[in-house]
Amino acid sequence: MVSPTLNQHGGIGNLARRVRLDWSGLAHGVRERRRAFTLIELLVVIAIIAILAAMLLPVLARAKQRALMAQCLNNMKQLQTCYILYLGDNGGFLPINLSNGGTDTAASQNCWIAGDALTDTSTTNIQQGKLYDYNKQVAIYACPANTKMISGSAGFGKTIVVPQTRTCSIDYSLGGGAPPGAPLVREITFGSYDKESKVRHPATKIVFVDEGENSVGDGCFGLYPNGSYPVINDWWNVPGSRHNKGCTFSFFDGHVEYYKWHGTAVVQDDINPNGSGGNPGDPVGTSDDLPRVVAGGSELYPLQ
């Protein structure tokens, strides 16, 4: 065998150049064959991705729901702040809260809200309310998790379909919802507060309720009063259940809370497209859901 030798110019001989190897161990100019995925390996990767997605998506969905609930609580807080500011500007008198907007024109023009959330296709009635000037963001009047759409006439035979503009309402006993001498409901006369100083338990007195999308109409959230006799075990208006089967509330002292429903009655009634209205036979259940809300809601007349 002839060993490579230096030529007269100091270079390596031709034989050495021909047998030079690259870093991969292959002769220079020879390509290494690349190994592709097998079908089994590809299916395993796809299966792993599917498993990870199945684990991750519910977590993301729960995170989104928590974010919507936090936003709804913030809406309640903003509304309650408007309410408190109104009290400060009006000598402690509560904003008027009349069922169906009231029949008295002068009174209805001074309500905290106008219109009917089951038919309104614009925010005009929100903007006419007495609380609007304290926060002109109309979005705070509707639960961010609500998906109900409202249809109405756009004129010239056309129909408009828009998201529901409002889901909040104020407890029936605050602000003249049932003034003394009001018609009896199931032989019960409702009491009503007109001034801040008369509210005895502000920390437990419900003000704003994020009402069920099929129940909300006027600005009043009504329940049969605590302590009524005979006891009326019915929902009249129904709170919402959009946040993991729970609802947000604001209270007279300014704080907000989330109620998780222990039973299924509220959820079942919210599913009913005709709403509740306290109709006999509406689902009530045996949980403490109704008593919890009744405890902070409407009261008997005369107020004790």
Side-chain angles (χ1 to χ4, degrees):
M1 178 176 180
V2 179
S3 300
T5 59
L6 293 175
N7 59 26
Q8 62 179 343
H9 299 292
I12 299 176
N14 293 334
L15 179 61
R17 287 198 296 271
R18 285 197 298 269
V19 300
R20 181 167 55 87
L21 303 179
D22 63 16
W23 67 272
S24 66
L26 298 175
H28 183 67
V30 178
R31 292 185 178 180
E32 180 183 12
R33 183 179 179 184
R34 294 184 178 180
R35 182 174 175 273
F37 281 113
T38 67
L39 179 59
I40 296 298
E41 289 172 332
L42 185 60
L43 291 175
V44 169
V45 171
I46 293 174
I48 292 173
I49 293 174
I51 292 172
L52 292 175
M55 295 172 60
L56 186 60
L57 288 177
V59 175
L60 293 176
R62 288 194 294 269
K64 181 180 179 181
Q65 287 301 317
R66 285 194 294 268
L68 291 174
M69 184 184 72
Q71 186 179 346
C72 193
L73 279 169
N74 181 63
N75 288 352
M76 290 286 107
K77 185 66 176 179
Q78 296 298 319
L79 289 168
Q80 185 62 32
T81 299
C82 294
Y83 194 86
I84 292 172
L85 291 173
Y86 178 93
L87 298 180
D89 287 346
N90 291 273
F93 282 96
L94 276 56
I96 295 175
N97 182 30
L98 294 175
S99 176
N100 297 321
T103 56
D104 185 318
T105 302
S108 63
Q109 289 176 348
N110 289 287
C111 282
W112 81 272
I113 201 72
D116 186 334
L118 292 175
T119 58
D120 286 345
T121 55
S122 75
T123 59
T124 300
N125 285 321
I126 292 176
Q127 294 168 308
Q128 290 178 349
K130 288 301 179 180
L131 300 184
Y132 176 72
D133 285 341
Y134 296 95
N135 189 325
K136 296 186 178 182
Q137 299 296 319
V138 295
I140 66 176
Y141 289 80
C143 173
N146 186 33
T147 59
K148 186 178 180 68
M149 305 296 287
I150 304 297
S151 61
S153 174
F156 303 101
K158 296 182 179 180
T159 300
I160 184 173
V161 180
V162 297
Q164 195 168 28
T165 59
R166 176 173 59 85
T167 58
C168 62
S169 52
I170 289 180
D171 177 67
Y172 191 51
S173 65
L174 293 176
L184 300 179
V185 180
R186 293 197 185 182
E187 304 303 317
I188 294 173
T189 304
F190 287 72
S192 182
Y193 294 99
D194 62 353
K195 199 167 185 181
E196 176 184 13
S197 59
K198 296 181 181 180
V199 177
R200 298 160 297 163
H201 306 291
T204 57
K205 183 60 179 173
I206 292 172
V207 181
F208 285 97
V209 179
D210 185 35
E211 196 170 341
E213 61 270 22
N214 295 317
S215 172
V216 64
D218 56 33
C220 298
F221 179 79
L223 290 179
Y224 298 104
N226 191 21
S228 60
Y229 183 82
V231 175
I232 299 179
N233 192 32
D234 273 343
W235 290 100
W236 177 359
N237 291 135
V238 183
S241 58
R242 290 176 286 268
H243 301 297
N244 191 25
K245 300 180 181 179
C247 180
T248 58
F249 296 84
S250 79
F251 293 80
F252 206 86
D253 68 345
H255 82 279
V256 296
E257 289 186 22
Y258 166 75
Y259 279 8
K260 170 75 171 181
W261 304 125
H262 298 156
T264 60
V266 175
V267 179
Q268 291 172 3
D269 224 333
D270 278 340
I271 294 173
N272 177 10
N274 296 319
S276 174
N279 299 314
D282 281 344
V284 175
T286 57
S287 73
D288 64 345
D289 292 339
L290 180 58
R292 271 199 300 168
V293 182
V294 166
S298 298
E299 299 183 46
L300 287 169
Y301 174 79
L303 297 169
Q304 301 299 320

